[in-house]
């Protein structure tokens, strides 16, 4: 959700507070458009992030509620390279999202609950939760449901980027962003809204609101 963090996928580099240097896309051009979105489903935190430590953010499109996010208009090649980096693969080959959106399957793997699985890993399932202005909304997540794995609270550095993105994209205050993140499974009961809001207020990543 944070534009500066997303830019590491496009241009390469290491996001502030992260442990990984991203190679970037073959085409490093900025997105043609950036818009806030609210998707059906839920953001949850589980497993262990190799970039941030703590839980990593995953999207369950079948869970109740709403997942607040940000959509970037990119080319098929850029999306393919971003997905490859999330799958911890080197950019280089193009996926076929058109076929995946059309019938929920392609040569990479089987259909799982209407999702297209490219592998068994945490970000190897392609999801299309809807359309926006004639374009399919695509993201990658895990093949399982949010209740299938134990929750794990996210690290402070990760929350700073997520909160900064919410403030940027939706114009939310630090307090509203913190309240949303604190209610996500995995974070709930470990991080309070006040603690997250304080992180965001102290962070140079978030706009002052």
């Amino acid at each position: 959700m944070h534009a500066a963090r997303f830019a590491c996928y496009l241009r390469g580099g290491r996001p502030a507070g992260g442990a990984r240097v991203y190679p970037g896309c073959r085409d490093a051009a900025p997105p043609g458009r950036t818009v806030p979105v609210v998707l059906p489903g839920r953001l949850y935190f589980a497993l262990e992030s190799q970039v941030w430590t703590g839980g990593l953010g995953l999207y369950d499109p079948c869970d109740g509620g709403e997942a607040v996010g940000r959509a970037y208009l990119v080319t098929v090649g850029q999306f393919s390279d971003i997905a490859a980096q999330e799958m911890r693969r080197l950019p280089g080959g193009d996926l076929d999202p058109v076929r995946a959106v059309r019938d929920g399957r392609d040569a990479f793997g089987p259909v799982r609950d209407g999702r297209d699985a490219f592998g068994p890993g945490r970000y190897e399932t392609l999801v299309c939760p809807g359309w926006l202005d004639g374009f399919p909304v695509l993201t990658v997540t895990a093949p399982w449901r949010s209740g299938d794995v134990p929750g794990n609270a996210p690290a402070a550095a990760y929350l700073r980027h997520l909160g900064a993105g919410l403030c940027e994209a939706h114009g939310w205050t630090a307090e509203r962003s913190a309240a949303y993140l604190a209610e996500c499974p995995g974070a709930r009961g470990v991080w309070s809204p006040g603690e997250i809001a304080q992180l965001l207020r102290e962070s140079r990543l978030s706009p002052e609101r």
Side-chain angles (χ1 to χ4, degrees), residues 19-110:
R20 181 184 174 194
V21 177
Y22 292 82
C25 293
R26 291 165 289 172
D27 176 5
R33 185 181 172 200
T34 303
V35 295
V37 294
V38 179
L39 306 175
R42 189 181 302 275
L43 168 68
Y44 67 100
F45 299 99
L47 307 181
E48 181 77 14
S49 172
Q50 299 177 15
V51 178
W52 310 105
T53 72
L56 52 89
L58 296 164
Y59 171 55
D60 185 347
C62 300
D63 204 344
E66 295 179 330
V68 183
R70 194 173 199 174
Y72 301 88
L73 182 59
V74 297
T75 67
V76 171
Q78 286 177 313
F79 175 77
S80 300
D81 289 350
I82 291 165
Q85 291 174 82
E86 280 290 70
M87 297 177 190
R88 303 193 73 84
R89 300 171 182 168
L90 291 176
D94 285 353
L95 303 178
D96 183 7
V98 174
R99 182 166 54 185
V101 169
R102 183 189 65 211
D103 57 22
R105 69 177 66 241
D106 66 16
F108 287 93

Side-chain angles (χ1 to χ4, degrees), residues 49-203:
S49 172
Q50 299 177 15
V51 178
W52 310 105
T53 72
L56 52 89
L58 296 164
Y59 171 55
D60 185 347
C62 300
D63 204 344
E66 295 179 330
V68 183
R70 194 173 199 174
Y72 301 88
L73 182 59
V74 297
T75 67
V76 171
Q78 286 177 313
F79 175 77
S80 300
D81 289 350
I82 291 165
Q85 291 174 82
E86 280 290 70
M87 297 177 190
R88 303 193 73 84
R89 300 171 182 168
L90 291 176
D94 285 353
L95 303 178
D96 183 7
V98 174
R99 182 166 54 185
V101 169
R102 183 189 65 211
D103 57 22
R105 69 177 66 241
D106 66 16
F108 287 93
V111 175
R112 300 186 182 184
D113 298 327
R115 293 174 280 182
D116 207 24
F118 295 91
R122 52 189 64 184
Y123 286 124
E124 294 185 333
T125 296
L126 179 62
V127 177
C128 178
W131 291 72
L132 179 64
D133 296 335
F135 296 99
V137 178
L138 295 166
T139 189
V140 289
T141 187
W144 51 78
R145 295 293 307 279
S146 59
D148 293 341
V149 290
N152 189 23
Y158 194 22
L159 287 171
R160 290 188 184 102
H161 281 284
L162 294 174
L166 288 169
C167 292
E168 285 180 353
H170 292 265
W172 286 5
T173 63
E175 288 72 21
R176 185 174 179 184
S177 299
Y180 169 76
L181 293 170
E183 279 301 306
C184 293
R188 186 189 305 129
V190 180
W191 285 98
S192 71
E195 290 170 332
I196 299 176
Q198 186 64 26
L199 283 177
L200 301 182
R201 285 193 294 265
E202 293 175 349
S203 174

